[in-house]
Amino acid sequence: MLIINELSKMKKIRTAILISGRGSNMESLIKACQAANFPATINLVIADRNSALGVKIAGDYGIDNSVIDYKKFAKREDFEKEIAKKIDSYNCQIICLAGFMRVLSAWFVNRYQGRIINIHPSLLPAFKGANAVEDAFLAKVQYSGCSTHFVSEEIDSGKIIKQARVKIKRGDSLEEVKMKILAKEHIIYPQTLKKVSRLFLSDEINDF
Ligand code: GRF
């Protein structure tokens, strides 16, 4: 009983997730946060388009969610201001990008400096950009994988937090490689959020 009370009092890092699509990484984060001793909670999911399937999944888990449609804004700045307003209204300390397909401006990155995390389907710094799995596959590399990293102004270039390696076997199809990498993403993204949240909670983030 004492342990349960202590866990319910545990301070947790409030987190927002930004998505554009199916949201499988988002779901892996939501599931991880359901554990009583996980140091973060998912408080908000924002999608940049109506077609993002992850929005329904977030709703099914009872997570507050909204669509802020980038097409409705003439300027990226206005779109990002709307996102920031929403995130701030939920007092989120960490923002996880999970298949979020917009490039964030220097203004947004600086506003949340050191608090935005992304997952990318390659072993960074190799194969940056939107077609990372295809590019690695076509390059016939023996190993690829996935990386989590802090978001900096330059795309896919911030400090790496975790990586997982995947062997590409001769005869693997592109689809098989995508699935193998995605399965690893679902492991390292929750591990990453746990690690960063713990550092925030212990004020050690500057030592990272
Ligand atoms: C993942 O492969 C992730 O690495 C990349 O976009 C994809 C998103 O997939 N940034 P999902 O929406 O999380 O299923």
Side-chain angles (χ1 to χ4, degrees), residues 130-176:
N131 301 310
V133 184
E134 289 85 341
D135 292 345
F137 185 76
L138 291 173
K140 298 192 187 312
V141 291
Q142 277 193 313
Y143 290 95
S144 189
C146 50
S147 311
T148 55
H149 64 95
F150 287 109
V151 172
S152 62
E153 281 179 41
E154 206 187 320
I155 200 159
D156 300 329
S157 301
K159 195 171 172 63
I160 291 167
I161 307 167
K162 271 190 179 282
Q163 293 188 303
R165 203 165 72 145
V166 162
K167 182 158 175 58
I168 302 181
K169 294 198 201 116
R170 240 193 317 207
D172 275 354
S173 67
L174 175 59
E175 244 356 87
E176 283 166 334

Short mmCIF file of all heavy atoms in Angstrom, two decimals, residues 130-176:
data_model
loop_
_atom_site.label_atom_id
_atom_site.label_comp_id
_atom_site.label_asym_id
_atom_site.label_seq_id
_atom_site.Cartn_x
_atom_site.Cartn_y
_atom_site.Cartn_z
N ALA A 130 13.74 12.28 -45.46
CA ALA A 130 12.42 11.65 -45.41
C ALA A 130 12.38 10.22 -45.95
O ALA A 130 11.43 9.48 -45.71
CB ALA A 130 11.42 12.51 -46.16
N ASN A 131 13.44 9.81 -46.70
CA ASN A 131 13.40 8.45 -47.28
C ASN A 131 14.51 7.57 -46.74
O ASN A 131 15.14 6.81 -47.47
CB ASN A 131 13.52 8.55 -48.81
CG ASN A 131 12.39 9.37 -49.39
OD1 ASN A 131 11.22 9.14 -49.08
ND2 ASN A 131 12.74 10.35 -50.20
N ALA A 132 14.73 7.67 -45.44
CA ALA A 132 15.90 7.02 -44.83
C ALA A 132 15.95 5.51 -45.06
O ALA A 132 17.01 4.97 -45.40
CB ALA A 132 15.91 7.33 -43.34
N VAL A 133 14.83 4.83 -44.90
CA VAL A 133 14.85 3.37 -45.02
C VAL A 133 15.13 2.97 -46.48
O VAL A 133 15.99 2.12 -46.75
CB VAL A 133 13.54 2.73 -44.52
CG1 VAL A 133 13.65 1.21 -44.58
CG2 VAL A 133 13.25 3.16 -43.09
N GLU A 134 14.44 3.63 -47.39
CA GLU A 134 14.65 3.34 -48.82
C GLU A 134 16.10 3.61 -49.20
O GLU A 134 16.73 2.82 -49.90
CB GLU A 134 13.75 4.23 -49.70
CG GLU A 134 12.27 3.90 -49.67
CD GLU A 134 11.54 4.58 -48.51
OE1 GLU A 134 12.21 5.01 -47.52
OE2 GLU A 134 10.32 4.67 -48.57
N ASP A 135 16.62 4.75 -48.73
CA ASP A 135 18.00 5.12 -49.09
C ASP A 135 18.99 4.09 -48.58
O ASP A 135 19.93 3.70 -49.30
CB ASP A 135 18.34 6.51 -48.53
CG ASP A 135 17.55 7.61 -49.21
OD1 ASP A 135 16.96 7.35 -50.28
OD2 ASP A 135 17.49 8.74 -48.67
N ALA A 136 18.80 3.62 -47.36
CA ALA A 136 19.70 2.60 -46.80
C ALA A 136 19.56 1.29 -47.58
O ALA A 136 20.56 0.62 -47.89
CB ALA A 136 19.39 2.38 -45.33
N PHE A 137 18.33 0.96 -47.91
CA PHE A 137 18.06 -0.28 -48.65
C PHE A 137 18.73 -0.25 -50.02
O PHE A 137 19.41 -1.19 -50.42
CB PHE A 137 16.54 -0.44 -48.78
CG PHE A 137 16.09 -1.72 -49.42
CD1 PHE A 137 16.12 -2.91 -48.70
CD2 PHE A 137 15.64 -1.74 -50.73
CE1 PHE A 137 15.70 -4.11 -49.29
CE2 PHE A 137 15.23 -2.92 -51.32
CZ PHE A 137 15.25 -4.11 -50.60
N LEU A 138 18.56 0.87 -50.72
CA LEU A 138 19.14 0.99 -52.06
C LEU A 138 20.67 1.04 -52.01
O LEU A 138 21.34 0.61 -52.95
CB LEU A 138 18.60 2.25 -52.78
CG LEU A 138 17.11 2.17 -53.14
CD1 LEU A 138 16.61 3.50 -53.69
CD2 LEU A 138 16.85 1.05 -54.15
N ALA A 139 21.20 1.54 -50.90
CA ALA A 139 22.66 1.60 -50.76
C ALA A 139 23.24 0.22 -50.41
O ALA A 139 24.45 0.05 -50.33
CB ALA A 139 23.04 2.61 -49.69
N LYS A 140 22.34 -0.74 -50.19
CA LYS A 140 22.71 -2.13 -49.89
C LYS A 140 23.62 -2.25 -48.67
O LYS A 140 24.56 -3.06 -48.64
CB LYS A 140 23.37 -2.80 -51.11
CG LYS A 140 22.47 -2.89 -52.33
CD LYS A 140 23.06 -3.81 -53.37
CE LYS A 140 22.33 -3.85 -54.67
NZ LYS A 140 20.90 -4.02 -54.64
N VAL A 141 23.35 -1.43 -47.67
CA VAL A 141 24.14 -1.53 -46.43
C VAL A 141 23.74 -2.81 -45.69
O VAL A 141 22.62 -3.29 -45.83
CB VAL A 141 23.94 -0.30 -45.51
CG1 VAL A 141 24.56 0.93 -46.11
CG2 VAL A 141 22.45 -0.06 -45.24
N GLN A 142 24.66 -3.35 -44.92
CA GLN A 142 24.35 -4.59 -44.20
C GLN A 142 23.56 -4.31 -42.93
O GLN A 142 22.84 -5.16 -42.44
CB GLN A 142 25.65 -5.28 -43.81
CG GLN A 142 26.21 -6.13 -44.96
CD GLN A 142 27.30 -7.03 -44.43
OE1 GLN A 142 28.18 -6.58 -43.70
NE2 GLN A 142 27.25 -8.29 -44.81
N TYR A 143 23.78 -3.12 -42.39
CA TYR A 143 23.08 -2.76 -41.17
C TYR A 143 22.44 -1.40 -41.33
O TYR A 143 23.04 -0.48 -41.88
CB TYR A 143 24.05 -2.69 -39.98
CG TYR A 143 24.56 -4.04 -39.56
CD1 TYR A 143 25.77 -4.51 -40.05
CD2 TYR A 143 23.82 -4.83 -38.70
CE1 TYR A 143 26.24 -5.77 -39.68
CE2 TYR A 143 24.28 -6.09 -38.33
CZ TYR A 143 25.49 -6.55 -38.82
OH TYR A 143 25.94 -7.79 -38.46
N SER A 144 21.21 -1.29 -40.83
CA SER A 144 20.63 0.04 -40.65
C SER A 144 20.00 0.03 -39.26
O SER A 144 20.43 -0.75 -38.40
CB SER A 144 19.63 0.37 -41.76
OG SER A 144 19.27 1.74 -41.64
N GLY A 145 19.01 0.86 -39.03
CA GLY A 145 18.42 0.87 -37.69
C GLY A 145 17.65 2.13 -37.45
O GLY A 145 17.06 2.72 -38.38
N CYS A 146 17.64 2.57 -36.22
CA CYS A 146 16.90 3.78 -35.88
C CYS A 146 17.63 4.54 -34.78
O CYS A 146 18.47 3.98 -34.08
CB CYS A 146 15.48 3.44 -35.43
SG CYS A 146 15.38 2.15 -34.18
N SER A 147 17.30 5.82 -34.70
CA SER A 147 17.97 6.70 -33.73
C SER A 147 16.93 7.63 -33.10
O SER A 147 16.02 8.10 -33.79
CB SER A 147 18.99 7.61 -34.44
OG SER A 147 19.83 6.88 -35.30
N THR A 148 17.12 7.92 -31.84
CA THR A 148 16.38 9.02 -31.23
C THR A 148 17.39 10.14 -30.97
O THR A 148 18.56 9.87 -30.69
CB THR A 148 15.70 8.61 -29.91
OG1 THR A 148 16.68 8.08 -29.03
CG2 THR A 148 14.60 7.61 -30.14
N HIS A 149 16.93 11.36 -31.10
CA HIS A 149 17.85 12.49 -30.95
C HIS A 149 17.10 13.75 -30.53
O HIS A 149 15.89 13.87 -30.78
CB HIS A 149 18.61 12.75 -32.26
CG HIS A 149 17.73 13.16 -33.40
ND1 HIS A 149 17.50 14.48 -33.73
CD2 HIS A 149 16.99 12.44 -34.29
CE1 HIS A 149 16.67 14.53 -34.77
NE2 HIS A 149 16.34 13.31 -35.13
N PHE A 150 17.82 14.65 -29.90
CA PHE A 150 17.25 15.96 -29.63
C PHE A 150 17.13 16.70 -30.95
O PHE A 150 17.97 16.52 -31.85
CB PHE A 150 18.13 16.74 -28.66
CG PHE A 150 18.06 16.23 -27.25
CD1 PHE A 150 19.12 15.56 -26.68
CD2 PHE A 150 16.91 16.42 -26.49
CE1 PHE A 150 19.04 15.07 -25.38
CE2 PHE A 150 16.82 15.94 -25.19
CZ PHE A 150 17.88 15.26 -24.64
N VAL A 151 16.10 17.52 -31.06
CA VAL A 151 15.89 18.26 -32.31
C VAL A 151 16.66 19.57 -32.27
O VAL A 151 16.58 20.32 -31.28
CB VAL A 151 14.38 18.50 -32.54
CG1 VAL A 151 14.14 19.44 -33.72
CG2 VAL A 151 13.68 17.17 -32.77
N SER A 152 17.43 19.78 -33.32
CA SER A 152 18.16 21.04 -33.47
C SER A 152 17.66 21.71 -34.75
O SER A 152 16.84 21.14 -35.47
CB SER A 152 19.67 20.78 -33.54
OG SER A 152 19.93 20.00 -34.69
N GLU A 153 18.19 22.89 -35.02
CA GLU A 153 17.70 23.62 -36.20
C GLU A 153 17.95 22.86 -37.50
O GLU A 153 17.15 22.90 -38.42
CB GLU A 153 18.39 24.99 -36.28
CG GLU A 153 17.78 26.00 -35.34
CD GLU A 153 18.49 27.32 -35.43
OE1 GLU A 153 18.83 27.74 -36.55
OE2 GLU A 153 18.74 27.92 -34.36
N GLU A 154 19.06 22.16 -37.55
CA GLU A 154 19.39 21.42 -38.77
C GLU A 154 18.70 20.06 -38.72
O GLU A 154 18.77 19.36 -37.69
CB GLU A 154 20.91 21.23 -38.86
CG GLU A 154 21.39 21.07 -40.27
CD GLU A 154 22.86 20.71 -40.30
OE1 GLU A 154 23.62 21.28 -39.49
OE2 GLU A 154 23.24 19.85 -41.08
N ILE A 155 18.11 19.66 -39.82
CA ILE A 155 17.28 18.46 -39.81
C ILE A 155 18.07 17.17 -39.50
O ILE A 155 19.17 16.99 -40.01
CB ILE A 155 16.49 18.37 -41.13
CG1 ILE A 155 15.29 17.46 -40.98
CG2 ILE A 155 17.31 17.97 -42.30
CD1 ILE A 155 14.22 17.72 -42.01
N ASP A 156 17.50 16.33 -38.62
CA ASP A 156 18.07 15.03 -38.24
C ASP A 156 19.52 15.12 -37.76
O ASP A 156 20.33 14.20 -38.00
CB ASP A 156 17.98 14.03 -39.42
CG ASP A 156 16.55 13.78 -39.86
OD1 ASP A 156 15.65 13.84 -39.01
OD2 ASP A 156 16.33 13.54 -41.05
N SER A 157 19.86 16.21 -37.09
CA SER A 157 21.26 16.44 -36.74
C SER A 157 21.53 16.68 -35.26
O SER A 157 22.68 16.84 -34.87
CB SER A 157 21.82 17.64 -37.52
OG SER A 157 21.71 17.38 -38.89
N GLY A 158 20.50 16.73 -34.44
CA GLY A 158 20.73 17.01 -33.02
C GLY A 158 21.41 15.85 -32.31
O GLY A 158 21.58 14.76 -32.87
N LYS A 159 21.76 16.08 -31.07
CA LYS A 159 22.50 15.08 -30.28
C LYS A 159 21.72 13.76 -30.20
O LYS A 159 20.54 13.73 -29.84
CB LYS A 159 22.73 15.65 -28.88
CG LYS A 159 23.75 14.89 -28.09
CD LYS A 159 24.07 15.65 -26.80
CE LYS A 159 24.93 14.85 -25.87
NZ LYS A 159 26.24 14.51 -26.37
N ILE A 160 22.43 12.68 -30.51
CA ILE A 160 21.79 11.36 -30.51
C ILE A 160 21.62 10.87 -29.06
O ILE A 160 22.52 11.01 -28.23
CB ILE A 160 22.64 10.37 -31.34
CG1 ILE A 160 22.56 10.76 -32.82
CG2 ILE A 160 22.16 8.93 -31.14
CD1 ILE A 160 23.56 10.09 -33.71
N ILE A 161 20.46 10.29 -28.80
CA ILE A 161 20.17 9.79 -27.44
C ILE A 161 20.30 8.26 -27.40
O ILE A 161 21.01 7.72 -26.58
CB ILE A 161 18.76 10.22 -26.98
CG1 ILE A 161 18.60 11.73 -27.11
CG2 ILE A 161 18.52 9.79 -25.52
CD1 ILE A 161 17.16 12.23 -26.99
N LYS A 162 19.62 7.58 -28.32
CA LYS A 162 19.70 6.11 -28.38
C LYS A 162 19.67 5.63 -29.82
O LYS A 162 19.08 6.30 -30.68
CB LYS A 162 18.50 5.48 -27.65
CG LYS A 162 18.73 5.24 -26.17
CD LYS A 162 17.64 4.40 -25.54
CE LYS A 162 17.96 4.18 -24.08
NZ LYS A 162 18.98 3.16 -23.87
N GLN A 163 20.28 4.47 -30.04
CA GLN A 163 20.21 3.88 -31.38
C GLN A 163 20.00 2.37 -31.24
O GLN A 163 20.42 1.77 -30.24
CB GLN A 163 21.51 4.13 -32.15
CG GLN A 163 21.69 5.61 -32.48
CD GLN A 163 22.85 5.88 -33.41
OE1 GLN A 163 23.97 5.50 -33.09
NE2 GLN A 163 22.59 6.54 -34.52
N ALA A 164 19.39 1.78 -32.25
CA ALA A 164 19.27 0.32 -32.30
C ALA A 164 19.62 -0.12 -33.72
O ALA A 164 19.22 0.53 -34.69
CB ALA A 164 17.87 -0.13 -31.93
N ARG A 165 20.33 -1.21 -33.80
CA ARG A 165 20.82 -1.66 -35.10
C ARG A 165 19.96 -2.82 -35.61
O ARG A 165 19.50 -3.65 -34.82
CB ARG A 165 22.26 -2.14 -34.91
CG ARG A 165 23.09 -2.13 -36.15
CD ARG A 165 24.54 -2.26 -35.79
NE ARG A 165 24.85 -3.61 -35.33
CZ ARG A 165 25.99 -4.23 -35.58
NH1 ARG A 165 26.93 -3.61 -36.25
NH2 ARG A 165 26.20 -5.45 -35.13
N VAL A 166 19.80 -2.87 -36.92
CA VAL A 166 19.02 -3.95 -37.56
C VAL A 166 19.85 -4.51 -38.70
O VAL A 166 20.42 -3.73 -39.48
CB VAL A 166 17.69 -3.36 -38.11
CG1 VAL A 166 17.06 -4.27 -39.13
CG2 VAL A 166 16.72 -3.07 -36.98
N LYS A 167 19.92 -5.83 -38.79
CA LYS A 167 20.68 -6.42 -39.90
C LYS A 167 19.77 -6.53 -41.12
O LYS A 167 18.63 -6.98 -41.02
CB LYS A 167 21.18 -7.81 -39.50
CG LYS A 167 22.02 -8.46 -40.59
CD LYS A 167 22.93 -9.54 -40.06
CE LYS A 167 23.66 -10.26 -41.17
NZ LYS A 167 24.47 -9.40 -42.03
N ILE A 168 20.29 -6.07 -42.24
CA ILE A 168 19.54 -6.23 -43.49
C ILE A 168 20.11 -7.46 -44.19
O ILE A 168 21.25 -7.45 -44.64
CB ILE A 168 19.66 -4.98 -44.40
CG1 ILE A 168 19.15 -3.75 -43.63
CG2 ILE A 168 18.87 -5.18 -45.68
CD1 ILE A 168 19.20 -2.45 -44.42
N LYS A 169 19.29 -8.51 -44.23
CA LYS A 169 19.78 -9.77 -44.82
C LYS A 169 19.58 -9.74 -46.31
O LYS A 169 18.65 -9.09 -46.82
CB LYS A 169 19.00 -10.95 -44.23
CG LYS A 169 19.24 -11.16 -42.76
CD LYS A 169 18.79 -12.58 -42.40
CE LYS A 169 18.53 -12.67 -40.91
NZ LYS A 169 17.16 -12.96 -40.56
N ARG A 170 20.46 -10.47 -47.01
CA ARG A 170 20.27 -10.58 -48.45
C ARG A 170 18.90 -11.20 -48.70
O ARG A 170 18.55 -12.18 -48.03
CB ARG A 170 21.36 -11.46 -49.05
CG ARG A 170 22.17 -10.68 -50.06
CD ARG A 170 23.00 -11.54 -50.88
NE ARG A 170 23.64 -12.57 -50.04
CZ ARG A 170 24.79 -13.12 -50.36
NH1 ARG A 170 25.40 -12.76 -51.43
NH2 ARG A 170 25.32 -14.06 -49.60
N GLY A 171 18.11 -10.64 -49.57
CA GLY A 171 16.79 -11.21 -49.82
C GLY A 171 15.68 -10.52 -49.03
O GLY A 171 14.50 -10.72 -49.33
N ASP A 172 16.03 -9.71 -48.03
CA ASP A 172 15.00 -8.94 -47.33
C ASP A 172 14.34 -7.98 -48.32
O ASP A 172 15.04 -7.33 -49.11
CB ASP A 172 15.62 -8.08 -46.22
CG ASP A 172 15.80 -8.84 -44.92
OD1 ASP A 172 15.34 -9.99 -44.83
OD2 ASP A 172 16.41 -8.27 -43.99
N SER A 173 13.02 -7.85 -48.24
CA SER A 173 12.35 -6.84 -49.07
C SER A 173 12.40 -5.51 -48.32
O SER A 173 12.63 -5.48 -47.11
CB SER A 173 10.90 -7.24 -49.33
OG SER A 173 10.18 -7.18 -48.11
N LEU A 174 12.12 -4.44 -49.05
CA LEU A 174 12.08 -3.12 -48.42
C LEU A 174 11.05 -3.11 -47.28
O LEU A 174 11.30 -2.57 -46.21
CB LEU A 174 11.74 -2.06 -49.48
CG LEU A 174 11.55 -0.64 -48.97
CD1 LEU A 174 12.79 -0.10 -48.26
CD2 LEU A 174 11.17 0.30 -50.13
N GLU A 175 9.91 -3.73 -47.54
CA GLU A 175 8.85 -3.78 -46.52
C GLU A 175 9.33 -4.49 -45.25
O GLU A 175 9.05 -4.04 -44.13
CB GLU A 175 7.64 -4.53 -47.09
CG GLU A 175 6.34 -3.76 -47.26
CD GLU A 175 6.30 -2.34 -46.77
OE1 GLU A 175 6.66 -1.40 -47.50
OE2 GLU A 175 5.88 -2.15 -45.62
N GLU A 176 10.07 -5.60 -45.45
CA GLU A 176 10.58 -6.34 -44.28
C GLU A 176 11.56 -5.49 -43.47
O GLU A 176 11.54 -5.49 -42.25
CB GLU A 176 11.26 -7.65 -44.73
CG GLU A 176 10.25 -8.73 -45.10
CD GLU A 176 10.88 -9.91 -45.86
OE1 GLU A 176 11.92 -9.72 -46.54
OE2 GLU A 176 10.31 -11.00 -45.79
#
